[in-house]
Each structure stands twice: as C-alpha cells, then as structure tokens.
C-alpha cells in the first residue's frame, strides 16, 4: 500500500472524553471516529487491524471444526420471550418496534436465534455435535459507554454455539473451544490468562474468561504463580486460613475507642494487629414486605464478596442496610457494631476465617466503644459459617499449589457450558441412540473482536504511541524515504524495497505523502507500525538503510541488498510463521 | 472441505411463503433460514457464496482506489435531522430510542455518517479526492418484505462514497466506480446491463443502475440492441414519433359508441387503428385547499409515465382524480372523456405524440359517445405539449441508433452523482486552491451483496436446482464417491483427487457423509455446484472418473490420472484466471 492511496489522519491531542490510554491512542492514530456515545466508525487504519484479528479467529475456529454462518442483528421479540430473556435482560437490551409495531431487539448475543435454527433443523443425535459461529455486529445499550472500543455499545464479536447430545460430549466441545482460544491469543501475541469465571447473567455451569493482562484492566484476577490456577476474584473459593480455633486467652472487655469507627483505626489505637479485628457488614432483605436484617462478619483486612453472599439462601436479593435500619436494629450507628447485645434479633453469618478466630475485637453496639477478647461459644453463640470474602494476595491458592498473587485483566473472551438452559426453554431436542427425545446440551463462546484492539494497546504502548504486535498491526513495515520526490536514488531503492517486501508476503506501507521526516516519524510511531526502514541519501552512500523496531530505541543499519530479507524474516519470526 | 465437517441441510419442498424461484431454491438448498419477515440467517452454504461476492467486490473497489472503512449500523437521529432525511424518509427508516430516550435509526444507507466523518477530517482540496467504502449490514423496513433476499429488510450492502473538490473531478470518480462495477459483474459472470436510471429519493444528477437480466426482474428496461443505450423505462425520454402534424382530412363528428369505454373497444367498434384514438387521464392537485383538475392526453396504445408527469410544474404532487371529481368537471364518468365541452375549465396537456396527431378520436363527454375527426387548432385550442408517456418496444432509441427493445432486470447496483446535496445540508467544505471554502461534491455507489445471490439464481437455474457461476458457487467442485466407507480403491482415488484439487487452489467439497448416490446427486444439483466428479469402482476398473458439469446433461469420462488437472483447468477458465 502506498500512503498517498490510503487514508491517514493523526491528531496531536486526544479529545477530552478519552479517559484511558487505548481510547486516546486510537483516536489520535485515526483508527476510530466517534459517531455517538459508545458508537464508532472504524477508519481505514483501524479496520485493517480488526480484519487481521478476524482472520486469526476465523482460522482457529475453522481448525477447531466450528462452521461459520451469519445471523441477523435485528431479532424478533418472540424468540426472547420464549427464552425468558425479554423480561430478564434489562435496559442493556435495545428494544424497538418495526413499522407494524411488532417488537424486535438488536441482538447483544444470539442464543435464541441459533437455538431456533437448530431446533428446526436438527432431528437426530447423528447430526450432532455441531458448532456454529459468526463474526458479527452486536449492540449492548451500556448505561455508561466509555473507554472507546473497550466498553462500546455497538461492537464486533465472534460468537460460537455448540450443540451436543449429552454432557460428556459438551465437555469435549468446550475443551476444543478452550484450546482454540488459547491458540488465538497465543497467535495474536498478547500476554493473557484463562481464568475460572462467574457465569453472570448467561447462566449455566463451567465457564472460563480469557483476560489480556494489563494494569488498567477492570477485572481483578487471582492467580497462582507456581501453578496454572487463575480465577476472576469474584469466583475464587477461599481456603480457611487456619483449621482450628485457638482456645480463649483473654477475658471479654469493653474498651473505649473514641472516634475509631474503622478496623484500621481501632487496631492502631489498641496496639493490636488488624487481623485481630472483625468488621460487621449489615445487609437487609425484604420478605413479603417485612424487612429482615443480616449481620455478616469479616476479618478487619478482608472484603465482602457480594457474589458469594448472593449465593446464601435468603440473601439472593440483598441490599445494604440503611443507616436508619442500623440504628433501629443495633441501637447505634455504623462503626461500632457487633453481634453482642443488639436491640433486635438478626441472622449472624461469619466468614470461615472469622469463625476460627479467638480473642478478637468487635463493636460494642455503643458509640465510641468496642469489645476485646471476644470468643465464640463463650461470649456469643456459634455463628453460621460461609465463605463470603474476596481472596487476597498471599492467601493459599485453592488448588493447594502455592500462594495467590494478583493482577488485573481485560476480558476479551468467554467460554460457557450453558447446558440445557436454552434448549429447555425453547424446546430444542434431538432423538438419542435409543430413540428418546432429549434436550440438546449447549455451550457458547464469545470473543470481543473490537475489544481486543483496545486490550492490545493497553498492554503495548509507550509515550510515543501504540506498539502493535506484528500479527494485528495495520501494516507490518513502513518505508520512510527522505525526499522521495527529489532524490532519484532514494526513490529507486525505496521502490525496490517495497516490491521485495510485497513479494515476500509482507504487509508494507510506503510513505510517499511528501511529508517532512518529523511528521512521518510522529505518525508511524503513533500508529505503532512495528518495523520502520528509513531510506536516505546519507546512509545510502554507504550502502546502508536505517532500521528501527518500534519496540526498541536503538537504530540498526542494514545492508541495502539484504534489508528487505532481514526485515521480512523478523516479521515472520514474530508471527511464528 | 469434507461434507462430514460441514453443515448441509436440503429440503424436498420449499415453504409456502416462497413465491419466486430464487427464494424457493435458497430455502431448499439450505442457504438461508427465516428469522422474521424479510430477516434471514445465512446458513454456512449461503455464507460461502456471500463471502465470494464480497471478495470480488472488495478487490475491485481497492483496485479502483476506494478505501475500506466500517461505519455503525445504529446512527444518531441528529445526523438525519441535519440532512433533512429524518423527516423525508418515511416508514422504511427504522427508528428507535436508546435507554436514555434518544432517537436513533438503523442505517439504510450511510450518507450522513460518512459526510460527518469527512467534514470533521477533511480541510483542504489537497486531501481530495477520496472514496470510502464499506461492506456492511443495512436495514430497510419494507412495507412488504418478500422474495427472500431480493427484497429483505436486513441485508448486506457495499456502499461507497466519493468526495471531490469540483464537478469535473466528481465525474472522474464516478467513471472509476462505473468501470469497477462493470468489472465486478463481468467477473461474477452474470448477464447484466448498466442502464440510465432515475435518481429516486436520493436526489442528485447523473446516475446508472446495474441490472442482472432475468425474466422475473421487477424493473422494465428499454435498450437498443444496435447500440449500448439502456435505461430504466421510467427514465427514457421519448423521441416524437413524427415531426409534423398532417392536415385535417375529416370533419368533426359525434359517434355513438355504446358501452365502449376503452380505446381498444372504440377502435374495434369504429374499425380504425388503435393509434388513431386518444385516451384521457385525469389528475388532480390541491392548491391551498382548492382542487385543480388536469387532463392528460395519450395515444390509445401508450401509457402514462408518472415520473415524467411529476416533473411538470404544478403536478409535483398530483393524484388521480376521483370519479366524483370527474363527473363534476366533465359531466360524465370515465370512458367517454375528452377536452371538448367540459363542464368546468381545466389545464390540458398532450403527450408530444398526441400533439402531432390529426383526425383522432376522443370521448365526447357524454355517456356512450365519442368524437371522431378531431383536429388541434380547428376543433379545440392547441394544447400544452410534454413527453409524458412510457417508451414502448419498436420506438426509436433516444440515441438515434436503432429501435427500442425491452427486457426485465433485477437491480443489483446503483451509482449516483449526488453533487452537494449532503455537503450543503451538513456543511462539509474544503478549501480550494485559491483558499475559498467550497462544498464538497459527492457521489454514492451501492451494490446489494445479498441481492446478487438471488439475482444470480433467477438467471441460472433449472428444474433440479441452482446453477452457480464458478466465481460465487459455495464450492467449485464436488467429489461424490460411491461406497467411500467400503471400497478401498474408491477411497484412495477420492482422497488423492481431493488433495490434488486443493493443491491446485480449487474450492472442493468431498461428500463423505455416507449418503446413497441418489441423495448425494439430489443435494449437490439442488445446491448447484458447477462441477461434479463421481468416483465408483465400475469406471475405476477402466481407469476413468465420471464427470459432469452442472450446466450440461452429458457425462464425460476423464482419465483417473488427469481428472483433477482437467477439472481445475475448467474452473480457472470459467473464472478467467
């Protein structure tokens, strides 16, 4: 490609609404153009990277035996009513009416549409397993679209749906997709982790998220550096920190803790470790119009995991108690609460770590007072015990193979075992070997194509701009000739390099715009082309061409005759071809 | 591809809502799956053909210097309000509100979005010309979606938009796109015609439609077999059939024509040629609440062209007069009307053919009576003269190079010179060479990707199914082995053929499903694969492989050793590679 036949449009400054680095750099590099909140046009530079991601995803999907089709963006409400999601999905589902006032949605996913295809086409186990995928435009009406393509409303996704005759076969289909995802992100060349995930609203059983590791990631990931364990923090089951409770050593005392409402302040004031304190989290539920209060007890340095709390019977729809409710049930306000001597009765739930503590500190249900030397059984009844906290750095890994470390990630892929959730609701069945009608076992598998762009940038940038991996760079090599229009020798050598690189199968752009060197370098460093050759009369006199990798600062001088070959070899090595 | 790893699902009968052959065959061949009225999923077989069409279109767009980008499906209403189309577009524009009750549309085209990109990015004539294109999903809320992909609501389109500094440059951009379209349809291998088109609602100046010729086409095309003239019948300017009016020979007579309300009946009753009669078409307009009646006069064998009538000043918003209005203005009802002796005054417009007639026949404004021997000037005032009729077979071609013939076509492409319609409305300007701010000249260029599928089938089918051109067939060659699972020699030869064809770059499918020969042949003839090799023990004994082209009925026997080479050569010749 010659730059004069292409569209390049860079900016010195990012627009003010761009909060994160990938959004800023994509705007500045002219990859995207904002159309409305969370809705972008992909400009030519951006689309090139998207197409390369799509190609890698498509190749690996095909290799894994998935079959491509294409489903519509606009879907009839009837299918969503059948599955139950018409009611459950909430305002992220963009609903609309056609000219005949019939209800439709713009699909955020396609479980309903693909299940409808399968239930009408598949009759027998002999037609199974089958896995359909598409690369298609989706819409999710985010309450606060932001971060450019990272949380847009309209986006491109690869979604695959597997159909199996039984759970064992589903597990095989799931594994194939899991392995394909590992290959995809490995091929793209991003640092990533497959983590055990919570299923969220899609439902089902086993599921993994694929995260690109980046400091700016929205999700916290707990992993074990000495094993392959990794999980979204929301999902990690904590192992009890000790197996027994020590015998009581202290007597119960009421101590003044003036103005010390936080565990940290109490520990410091009393001169004890934070790990000896216990915090009280007060939740409320409404049961047939009657309010019920729950006291959840966590060690002072731990945090409530709301998803785990949600799983406790009766707490499925909890909310945090109001200050008015707290005063009514405890007789005092937050900061000095505890299970001993409350004004009204309540359910007390202890985290499993708290349940094994002795001689601990809790609020006294009196302003500016705490109780020390508290012990289960002796000073208050044994509690109900659950795992209700988030795991923290240094905790034992749930697989028993080391200690937990933390990192942050950007979710770019997700694989689910859906089971028969949709095939039950929509009655998608097949005849088994014994002639019995069975609900088909489903899996679903998504990759955020456009989100990968943002995630790749969050992981690979510097103060000059983007640093693309070769696999998904808009171009692999840029040729920057000095005085292309005036120097015959520069033009001849540049054109020859261009032809040689093209013939080696390299995706090269020749900057023939006639811009000053400073402008050329600024543009291509911002856009992030991984390899740059500068062709100038000065180095040509010595038979050399200046070469720089975007990732490194040092400059190499390559022999004129072999420069194309050297660079082509580097590109192919990086792409593992 | 092996059929066992692919998804094939054919039907013996088409669903009852499929009215035309392409819709029936696409449903039967398992190319599409109906999701809602005019909304389809493209099943794997169908998607393969779509992708091949997209690839050809993309290659020719790139070759013509257009640059690919991708714009969103969901577009903010503000842009459509700026262009004025929010009001003008009518119910085909699918409108919706997001969760914040802001108005959006699902784009039926992208003039507004692309003009917004350009006005924000282009500052100077130096950045022009530029031509952006995309291949993208569109939505048009058709009042009566039908004919499968031929008139769907959600469909895939290639749309390109050119931006030029002046009209001369726009003409060059337009010509490039016109030539690219000719290459695209030539490469696909369809019989087509570029015809002069009416611009319809998009507005602007020069425009051509590209039609695939098919008897079932919705559009009537007038063309000249002895020149390259072709135009949508709506758009053809008629040349007057004679240049002078003959002198009157007859006297004006009132003749009884009992029950003869049609010109044909009158001509037969009076024993004169139909070409001597003149029909009266009565139109009405409302001017400030007052009804005005217009009498349009056409030769008995001619038909009103409403688009031409629309262009007459005062008739821009005409309707046909009601029977009540006709009686009020003429004193009698339809069938016996004419310009002589009306009850109330009206504007009389004669088609240019009628204006040169003498001694003609018109209604007498009295039930069961006509006037014969009518002559302009003598019996009634000279009329206003316009070209208001549709051209008919045998008329002189407007280019003066022969006589008009008629055919029917399916519109698959359209190129427009928009001029400054959108750049005026949305204020998209660039600085000229002299530093003056000028509105950018635009062109727009569409190809109905999914519609091409239907059009190709309407042109190429027989009673067994589809006959694809090699260029867009789901597969180019199918291998049908007899007893693939049982015969070692069949398996060996088939596998070798498969490898050889793949290595020759042929898109081949091996039918390893284990179906009976009858089922295999039925499926692949219905699906329309252009080349078929049958591998069976009987012919293998003689070193032969049975070969059939889908388009022909005769069977050839090819040498086992050279069969792959022969077939590969045929495929490449058909694709003009």
């Amino acid at each position: 490609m010659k730059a004069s036949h292409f569209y390049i449009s860079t900016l010195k400054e990012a627009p003010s609404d761009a909060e994160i680095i990938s959004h800023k750099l994509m705007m500045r590099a002219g990859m995207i153009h904002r159309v409305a909140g969370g809705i972008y046009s992909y400009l030519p530079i951006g689309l090139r990277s998207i197409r390369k991601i799509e190609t890698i995803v498509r190749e690996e999907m095909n290799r894994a035996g998935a079959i491509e089709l294409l489903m519509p963006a606009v879907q009839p409400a009837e299918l969503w009513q059948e599955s139950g999601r018409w009611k459950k999905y909430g305002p992220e589902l963009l609903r609309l009416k056609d000219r005949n006032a019939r209800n439709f949605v713009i699909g955020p996913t396609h479980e309903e549409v693909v299940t409808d295809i399968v239930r009408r086409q598949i009759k027998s186990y002999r037609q199974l397993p089958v896995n359909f995928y598409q690369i298609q435009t989706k819409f999710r009406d985010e309450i606060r679209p932001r971060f450019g393509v990272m949380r847009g409303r309209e986006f491109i996704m690869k979604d695959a749906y597997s159909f199996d005759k039984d759970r064992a076969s589903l597990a095989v289909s799931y594994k194939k997709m899991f392995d394909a995802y590992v290959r995809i992100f490995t091929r793209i060349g991003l640092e990533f982790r497959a983590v055990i995930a919570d299923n969220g609203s899609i439902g089902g059983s086993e599921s993994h998220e694929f995260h690109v590791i980046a400091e700016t990631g929205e999700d916290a990931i707990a992993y074990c550096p000495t094993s392959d364990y990794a999980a979204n923090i929301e999902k990690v089951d904590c192992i009890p920190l000790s197996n027994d409770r020590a015998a009581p050593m202290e007597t119960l005392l009421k101590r003044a803790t003036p103005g010390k409402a936080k565990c940290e302040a109490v520990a410091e004031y009393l001169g004890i470790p934070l790990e000896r304190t216990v915090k009280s989290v007060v939740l409320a539920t409404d049961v047939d119009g009657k309010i019920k209060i729950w006291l959840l007890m966590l060690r002072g340095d731990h945090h409530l995991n709301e998803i785990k709390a949600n799983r406790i019977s009766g707490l499925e729809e909890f909310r945090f108690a109001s200050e008015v409710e707290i005063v009514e049930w405890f007789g005092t306000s937050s900061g000095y609460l505890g299970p001993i001597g409350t004004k009204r009765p309540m359910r007390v739930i202890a985290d499993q770590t708290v349940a094994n503590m002795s001689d601990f500190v809790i609020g006294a249900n009196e302003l500016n007072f705490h109780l020390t030397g508290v012990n289960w059984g002796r000073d208050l009844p044994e509690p109900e015990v659950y795992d209700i906290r988030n795991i923290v750095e240094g905790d034992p890994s749930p697989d028993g193979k080391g200690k937990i470390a933390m990192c942050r990630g950007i979710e770019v892929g997700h694989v689910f075992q859906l089971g028969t959730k949709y095939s039950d609701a929509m009655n998608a069945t097949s005849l088994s070997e014994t002639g019995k009608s069975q609900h088909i076992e489903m899996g679903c598998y998504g990759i955020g194509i456009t989100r990968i762009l943002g995630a790749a940038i969050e992981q690979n940038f510097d103060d000059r701009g983007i640093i693309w991996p070769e696999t998904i760079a808009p171009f692999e090599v840029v040729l920057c000739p000095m005085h292309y229009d005036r120097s015959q020798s520069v033009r001849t050598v540049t054109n020859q390099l261009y032809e040689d690189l093209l013939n080696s199968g390299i995706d090269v752009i020749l900057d023939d715009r006639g811009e000053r060197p400073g402008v050329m370098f600024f543009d291509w460093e911002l856009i992030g082309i991984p390899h740059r050759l500068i062709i100038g009369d000065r180095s040509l006199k010595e038979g050399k061409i200046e070469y720089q990798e975007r990732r490194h600062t040092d400059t190499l001088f390559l022999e004129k005759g072999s420069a194309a070959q050297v660079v082509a070899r580097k590109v192919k090595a990086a792409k593992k071809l």
Side-chain angles (χ1 to χ4, degrees), chain A:
Chain A
M1 180 69 73
K2 296 192 175 172
S4 60
H5 298 153
F6 195 62
Y7 186 76
I8 295 149
S9 168
T10 59
L11 298 171
K12 289 248 186 298
E13 300 288 338
S16 56
D17 69 327
E19 298 171 56
I20 61 169
I21 192 72
S22 60
H23 189 189
K24 286 179 187 167
L25 289 176
M26 287 180 76
M27 292 297 295
R28 288 187 55 209
M31 300 187 73
I32 52 175
H33 172 96
R34 184 181 182 279
V35 178
I39 302 177
Y40 294 89
S41 289
Y42 304 107
L43 297 181
I45 285 266
L47 185 61
R48 288 185 76 90
S49 288
I50 290 173
R51 294 284 186 239
K52 290 186 181 185
I53 295 169
E54 288 178 354
T55 299
I56 292 172
V57 169
R58 185 172 281 126
E59 285 173 3
E60 295 301 336
M61 283 295 111
N62 292 345
R63 190 197 295 202
I67 306 171
E68 190 172 7
L69 46 58
L70 184 61
M71 293 179 276
V74 176
Q75 309 176 5
E78 286 80 2
L79 292 177
W80 287 70
Q81 284 154 353
E82 268 193 81
S83 75
R85 290 209 293 177
W86 178 255
K87 276 197 182 153
K88 279 189 205 144
Y89 210 100
E92 279 189 17
L93 183 63
L94 189 57
R95 296 152 208 256
L96 56 108
K97 286 180 194 291
D98 73 357
R99 64 190 291 161
N100 299 315
R102 292 183 62 165
N103 286 309
F104 286 83
V105 308
I106 306 189
T109 64
H110 280 70
E111 282 82 1
E112 285 83 358
V113 174
V114 77
T115 304
D116 179 59
I117 292 175
V118 165
R119 72 175 165 181
R120 289 208 254 164
Q121 299 238 342
I122 300 278
K123 303 294 168 208
S124 152
Y125 73 94
R126 283 192 206 86
Q127 296 167 276
L128 300 176
V130 67
N131 185 334
F132 290 123
Y133 80 98
Q134 63 175 350
I135 295 176
Q136 192 258 4
T137 297
K138 305 229 176 306
F139 202 97
R140 206 166 287 169
D141 203 359
E142 292 278 353
I143 189 159
R144 199 184 154 203
R146 54 182 173 157
F147 303 156
V149 298
M150 299 282 274
R151 198 185 287 175
R153 295 200 283 176
E154 184 168 321
F155 54 95
I156 302 174
M157 201 170 143
K158 186 286 299 175
D159 44 331
Y161 305 89
S162 67
F163 298 85
D164 283 276
K165 62 177 180 174
D166 55 31
R167 301 230 29 128
S169 176
L170 166 57
V172 174
S173 296
Y174 183 84
K175 181 67 164 51
K176 273 189 194 165
M177 283 294 106
F178 185 97
D179 293 345
Y181 276 39
V182 169
R183 285 197 302 271
I184 286 165
F185 296 112
T186 304
R187 273 185 66 183
I188 293 178
L190 297 176
E191 195 195 337
F192 73 98
R193 245 174 228 287
V195 310
I196 298 164
D198 187 82
N199 281 341
S201 61
I202 301 193
S205 53
E206 201 177 342
S207 109
H208 287 86
E209 290 168 0
F210 287 77
H211 284 260
V212 167
I213 304 306
E215 280 172 32
T216 52
E218 280 194 296
D219 287 293
I221 297 165
Y223 68 98
C224 177
T226 50
S227 77
D228 64 356
Y229 181 84
N232 194 311
I233 189 173
E234 295 172 343
K235 181 75 175 186
V236 185
D237 293 328
C238 297
I239 292 179
L241 297 180
S242 68
N243 287 321
D244 331 281
R245 189 190 295 165
M249 303 285 283
E250 302 178 13
T251 51
L252 182 68
L253 282 179
K254 181 167 145 190
R255 303 266 303 263
T257 48
K260 310 300 177 196
K262 296 265 168 212
C263 284
E264 289 78 2
V266 172
E268 196 191 338
Y269 183 78
L270 297 178
I272 55 167
L274 181 59
E275 290 76 12
R276 293 274 303 282
T277 66
V278 171
K279 69 169 83 163
S280 296
V281 176
V282 188
L283 304 181
T285 53
D286 297 281
V287 183
D288 301 328
K290 233 185 111 185
I291 290 162
K292 196 172 160 188
I293 294 293
W294 304 62
L295 174 60
L296 274 63
M297 301 177 66
L298 291 144
R299 205 172 73 177
D301 59 331
H302 287 161
H303 292 282
L304 179 68
N305 180 312
E306 295 183 31
I307 288 171
K308 292 180 182 176
N310 248 315
R311 278 196 223 112
I312 297 171
S313 173
L315 278 180
E316 292 83 356
E317 298 192 4
F318 77 80
R319 58 177 171 82
F320 289 92
S322 69
E323 203 56 30
V324 171
E325 288 164 341
I326 286 173
V327 171
E328 186 181 342
W329 261 265
F330 290 87
T332 187
S333 53
S334 309
Y336 303 93
L337 309 180
I340 297 177
T342 61
K343 272 184 79 176
R344 297 179 58 176
M346 65 190 69
R347 283 271 290 275
V348 176
I349 308 262
D351 178 61
Q352 54 187 6
T353 307
V354 173
N356 279 341
M357 284 168 73
S358 308
D359 300 328
F360 53 89
V361 176
I362 56 174
N365 290 324
E366 187 180 338
L367 188 67
N368 296 335
F369 283 93
H370 279 81
L371 301 177
T372 65
V374 182
N375 283 283
W376 297 110
R378 187 191 75 181
D379 308 320
L380 74 173
E382 290 291 342
E384 291 182 68
V385 184
Y386 288 94
D387 171 20
I388 54 171
R389 72 175 175 97
N390 278 335
I391 202 158
V392 292
E393 196 134 9
D395 275 353
S397 173
D399 67 354
K401 296 181 180 169
K403 291 193 165 180
I404 283 297
M406 291 287 185
C407 66
R408 301 200 70 82
I410 299 163
E411 187 190 338
V412 289
H414 206 153
V415 291
F416 288 99
Q417 290 190 21
L418 286 169
T420 58
K421 178 180 157 78
Y422 290 90
S423 55
D424 282 346
M426 299 180 65
N427 200 30
T429 61
S430 69
L431 289 179
S432 74
E433 285 92 332
T434 58
K436 233 178 64 188
S437 176
Q438 291 184 319
H439 286 106
I440 298 174
E441 296 281 344
M442 283 175 64
C444 72
Y445 316 93
I447 287 183
I449 301 284
T450 36
R451 191 180 247 213
I452 288 177
L453 279 185
I457 296 172
E458 292 291 334
Q459 197 180 79
N460 299 279
F461 68 92
D462 63 15
D463 52 5
R464 288 173 294 158
I466 304 167
I467 306 174
W468 288 110
E470 282 78 356
T471 50
I472 60 172
F475 298 97
E476 294 161 353
V477 178
V478 59
L479 303 181
C480 296
M482 306 287 104
H483 309 305
Y484 185 69
D485 51 340
R486 277 182 286 151
S487 164
Q488 175 66 44
S489 59
V490 164
R491 199 158 58 247
T492 306
V493 171
T494 303
N495 291 348
Q496 188 61 51
L497 277 170
Y498 181 69
E499 290 301 323
D500 290 348
L501 286 166
L502 279 185
N503 291 336
S504 307
I506 299 301
D507 188 14
V508 56
I509 185 156
L510 191 172
D511 192 346
D512 59 348
R513 294 176 296 164
E515 296 284 1
R516 287 177 295 108
V519 172
M520 280 199 277
F521 300 162
F522 174 89
D523 281 351
W524 298 114
E525 285 175 356
L526 174 57
I527 292 168
I529 306 307
H531 302 272
R532 181 177 73 191
L533 289 169
I534 303 171
I535 304 96
D537 277 319
R538 199 186 305 174
S539 54
L540 276 188
K541 268 183 206 140
E542 290 160 35
K544 303 280 190 187
I545 286 159
E546 198 179 328
Y547 167 68
Q548 195 160 36
E549 272 188 83
R550 178 67 184 82
R551 203 170 276 282
H552 305 300
T553 48
D554 50 326
T555 293
L556 290 179
F557 286 89
L558 304 178
E559 293 299 329
K560 191 179 76 177
S562 60
Q565 206 187 332
V566 169
V567 174
R569 209 182 299 130
K570 276 174 179 280
V571 170
K572 288 178 182 177
K575 291 169 74 181
K576 297 174 189 76
L577 286 178

